[in-house]
Amino acid sequence: MTHLTAAIYVHSLKQAFADAAVAAERGADLVEYRIDTFIEDAEAITELVETSPLPCLITCRPDWEGGKYEGDDNDRAAVFEAACAGVNGPAYIDVELLAFQRDPVFRQRILNLVDHPAQTHNTPPTTGLILSSHDFESRPIDLFQRIEAMAAAPACRVIKLAWRARSLRDNIEAFEIITERHKPTIALCMGENGLMSRVLAKKFAALLTFATISPSPDASTAPGQPTIADLQTLYRWHHINPETAIYGVIGDPVGHSMSPAIHNAGFDKIDHNGVYLPLPIPPEYEHFKATVATMLDMSSLHFRGASVTIPHKQNLLRFVDEFDGIIDPLAQQIGAANTLTVQPDGQLLATNSDYDGALDAVCDGMSITRQELANTRVAVIGAGGAARAIVAGFAHHGATIVVYNRTVENAQRLADEFGDMAQLAGGKIVAAPLDKLCDTCCQLFINCTPIGMYPNINASPLDADTLNRLGPGAVVFDTIYNPIQTQLLRDARSAGCLTIPGTEMFVRQAASQFTAWTSQPAPLDVFRSVLIDKLTDPVS
Ligand code: NAP
């Protein structure tokens, strides 16, 4: 069993009990009391352990190992003695390997407190000793010597290693250490790159993971700790087991992505044994290749797919090509893929779900089939990445397309690239400068620029007069989803046009990924409500 452990700094008995009670209520089953600065009153320390609402782990971390305790090891031994002076004692005490190794007097005082083979007490204590090692900067070069020393100490019941992850690959090493364990092990990576090790501690049967009761940075005892609530509700802690499949959003940055909330809620809904994580990877192809290859190589990770966003959409095509995977021909033609699927036989598949997302949003919004797109005259506003996927989709179905763009050369390039495809299907593409949009004869308008996006929420690529002239016969689709109701959509609605919000494209492209990974239809209503909640929540 992997304990969900609430990490709590102790400032007073009252506060520590209250925090531990909250942690218990939220589902933690162990509490770590960090008594680094709560050291003066021995009786209070004993009482803390004796009356704790949860079994506890006592840590008094010195400043030289990243903690706040500034005294010497002699006084620190007395603090641990106070913690173990009651009838029950803590479940564990955590002592740094370095302190345990270098000072025989301190070591002997610790050995007197814990359960180990050479214990001479008539009634041996039940407290287990965690020997720990931390590096807040990087991965220690002597990591394996440290593990060996902990494994060789007979009194050490649990090995604990924590270091700041340099990249996602450090998490994979942490999982390998837990898997090849000599003893129960905790291996956690700190910082933004280390979230995976904290969430997946349960998948690899680590002794515990740490989480906080509040998102405040002051509440965490190490960088990158999630809240208990996030572990439970966002990252599906109770559903994680050794077989859980891993998915995620690969990008740089990915910290504010809404995809984990959406996909994990979807997995909940259909009871899929998976968890979806943010997977930050720096922009260069070599980082992408090394990280994704390492995740695929570790078969026990069960890495099954990813959403791939800026700046890795081209990197995904190159990677899948190099690894003899399949690239969907449309993704190839668009020149970017945003979905990686690891198929049941292990072969990689790269697809572009923006394409499906946009077409599904338009077809459902207009109540038409994809074949009926051939009858549309569509103005695509913008000629960047989103416009490429949309132009490809409409060209493939034989629509008549005008690409309006600030830099008309970019629009022309798009028209040249997809012109043959459109012609083959009976349609055509022309390029036009953005300021000619007011003279348009199109009936469907798709904004693929950031004009109107937060924080410039009063801007619009199409003025209200033009929309009023177009009237109820026109359809306006804004790919922007923050805000949900853009100025363009508000004006279009006032003019009587049919409107389609960018949230629909976002939901549909996520749905296309979800189906590729799970072979099941996505719960669109769940996706919509999670996305709308996130977009209207002022905190996110
Ligand atoms: P991009 O590759 O950077 O392209 C941006 C396009 O907008 C370019 O054609 C650029 O014109 C034009 N543009 C930028 N600022 C402009 C301005 N101030 N005035 C006029 N034109 C301007 O961006 P992208 O990835 O295609 O994203 C575009 C929009 O699509 C974003 O708002 C994004 O939110 C949305 N999107 C939505 C979804 C969804 O799921 N709903 C998915 C993807 C994208 P130049 O060629 O002249 O530079």
Side-chain angles (χ1 to χ4, degrees):
M1 172 181 170
T2 301
H3 298 290
L4 203 178
T5 307
I8 292 174
Y9 272 121
V10 181
H11 306 292
S12 72
L13 269 185
K14 198 172 160 205
Q15 159 266 326
F17 288 141
D19 287 355
V22 169
E25 199 182 292
R26 294 191 184 161
D29 56 62
L30 187 71
V31 59
E32 179 192 43
Y33 292 119
R34 285 288 297 265
I35 57 170
D36 308 16
T37 56
F38 187 73
I39 50 174
E40 302 302 334
D41 182 347
E43 277 180 26
I45 295 171
T46 311
E47 189 183 341
L48 175 69
V49 175
E50 285 296 284
T51 54
S52 172
L54 286 170
C56 69
L57 147 63
I58 294 291
T59 303
C60 180
R61 185 80 66 228
D63 49 3
W64 50 261
E65 182 102 349
K68 296 181 180 175
Y69 175 78
E70 292 174 346
D72 63 23
D73 279 347
N74 193 32
D75 290 345
R76 203 153 67 98
V79 169
F80 283 118
E81 284 160 0
C84 298
V87 180
N88 298 316
Y92 300 98
I93 59 172
D94 174 327
V95 172
E96 308 69 34
L97 173 68
L98 196 57
F100 188 78
Q101 283 178 321
R102 73 181 171 193
D103 181 346
V105 177
F106 177 74
R107 180 166 62 242
Q108 190 52 53
R109 286 174 73 178
I110 294 298
L111 287 176
N112 288 341
L113 302 174
V114 298
D115 172 40
H116 61 91
Q119 185 54 268
T120 54
H121 282 287
N122 287 336
T123 313
T126 53
T127 299
L129 175 63
I130 299 176
L131 282 185
S132 66
S133 160
H134 305 79
D135 192 322
F136 286 76
E137 300 297 324
S138 188
R139 177 197 178 279
I141 42 170
D142 61 345
L143 190 65
F144 285 97
Q145 284 95 313
R146 296 185 194 194
I147 296 171
E148 273 169 32
M150 293 175 193
C156 171
R157 194 189 288 174
V158 179
I159 294 170
K160 179 188 172 192
L161 303 145
W163 72 94
R164 181 177 281 276
R166 301 156 298 175
S167 76
L168 288 181
R169 278 181 286 159
D170 277 345
N171 296 272
I172 305 297
E173 186 169 20
F175 301 145
E176 284 166 355
I177 289 168
I178 299 167
T179 308
E180 290 160 17
R181 65 200 192 154
H182 310 273
K183 294 181 174 180
T185 300
I186 305 160
L188 293 169
C189 291
M190 294 187 267
E192 190 204 9
N193 289 325
L195 178 70
M196 190 194 240
S197 71
R198 299 183 181 280
V199 176
L200 300 186
K202 192 170 172 214
K203 179 173 168 68
F204 291 95
L207 179 82
L208 60 79
T209 197
F210 293 104
T212 63
I213 60 166
S214 131
S216 152
D218 295 342
S220 72
T221 56
Q225 284 172 352
T227 61
I228 298 172
D230 275 353
L231 262 192
Q232 303 261 39
T233 51
L234 178 56
Y235 296 121
R236 313 192 72 229
W237 177 259
H238 284 296
H239 299 275
I240 293 175
N241 60 42
E243 301 305 318
T244 300
I246 306 308
Y247 308 86
V249 51
I250 294 176
D252 183 28
V254 287
H256 288 94
S257 170
M258 286 174 282
S259 297
I262 290 172
H263 284 291
N264 284 324
F267 293 160
D268 262 352
K269 181 70 183 177
I270 67 159
D271 208 11
H272 177 65
N273 188 8
V275 63
Y276 184 106
L277 300 164
L279 302 172
I281 300 182
E284 297 76 20
Y285 178 67
E286 293 312 318
H287 283 294
F288 182 92
K289 180 177 174 178
T291 308
V292 177
T294 305
M295 292 200 296
L296 288 166
D297 262 2
M298 188 184 203
S299 58
S300 57
L301 184 63
H302 305 106
F303 176 52
R304 293 289 176 263
S307 315
V308 177
T309 184
I310 292 166
H312 289 299
K313 291 185 179 189
Q314 278 90 17
N315 288 342
L316 174 59
L317 286 183
R318 183 171 161 192
F319 179 81
V320 170
D321 186 42
E322 279 181 26
F323 281 73
D324 293 331
I326 301 169
I327 298 173
D328 174 66
L330 269 163
Q332 188 73 275
Q333 190 136 12
I334 294 165
N338 72 342
T339 309
L340 170 67
T341 303
V342 184
Q343 302 189 106
D345 63 359
Q347 190 164 38
L348 305 180
L349 172 66
T351 50
N352 189 315
S353 78
D354 282 339
Y355 168 97
D356 280 329
L359 293 196
D360 288 347
V362 169
C363 290
D364 283 6
M366 294 175 69
S367 305
I368 59 171
T369 62
R370 286 195 181 185
Q371 283 62 40
E372 288 174 283
L373 290 173
N375 308 325
T376 56
R377 272 177 288 123
V378 54
V380 175
I381 309 166
R388 283 182 74 78
I390 289 173
V391 166
F394 279 81
H396 186 70
H397 289 91
T400 302
I401 306 161
V402 187
V403 182
Y404 292 95
N405 196 43
R406 178 177 63 181
T407 311
V408 74
E409 292 78 13
N410 293 342
Q412 189 57 55
R413 198 170 310 131
L414 214 52
D416 292 343
E417 270 185 66
F418 292 98
D420 288 349
M421 186 196 272
Q423 216 169 6
L424 209 63
K428 67 172 182 178
I429 312 181
V430 294
L434 188 58
D435 55 14
K436 288 279 179 270
L437 189 54
C438 52
D439 304 327
T440 187
C441 58
C442 293
Q443 62 194 156
L444 166 60
F445 298 85
I446 307 182
N447 178 31
C448 301
T449 74
I451 304 171
M453 193 159 81
Y454 180 86
N456 301 315
I457 56 169
N458 296 322
S460 171
L462 204 52
D463 61 79
D465 288 347
T466 308
L467 287 163
N468 285 328
R469 177 173 61 74
L470 293 163
V475 179
V476 177
F477 169 29
D478 200 338
T479 64
I480 292 172
Y481 53 82
N482 188 11
I484 301 170
Q485 288 302 326
T486 57
Q487 185 66 46
L488 171 63
L489 292 181
R490 286 200 302 271
D491 290 344
R493 200 132 34 94
S494 302
C497 311
L498 176 70
T499 60
I500 304 167
T503 44
E504 275 306 292
M505 176 173 167
F506 192 93
V507 161
R508 304 300 179 128
Q509 63 81 25
S512 164
Q513 299 180 325
F514 188 91
T515 300
W517 301 329
T518 64
S519 306
Q520 295 200 48
L524 288 176
D525 287 345
V526 171
F527 279 19
R528 267 188 209 108
S529 85
V530 172
L531 179 63
I532 288 165
D533 264 10
K534 286 255 155 209
L535 288 169
T536 48
D537 173 3
V539 180
S540 62

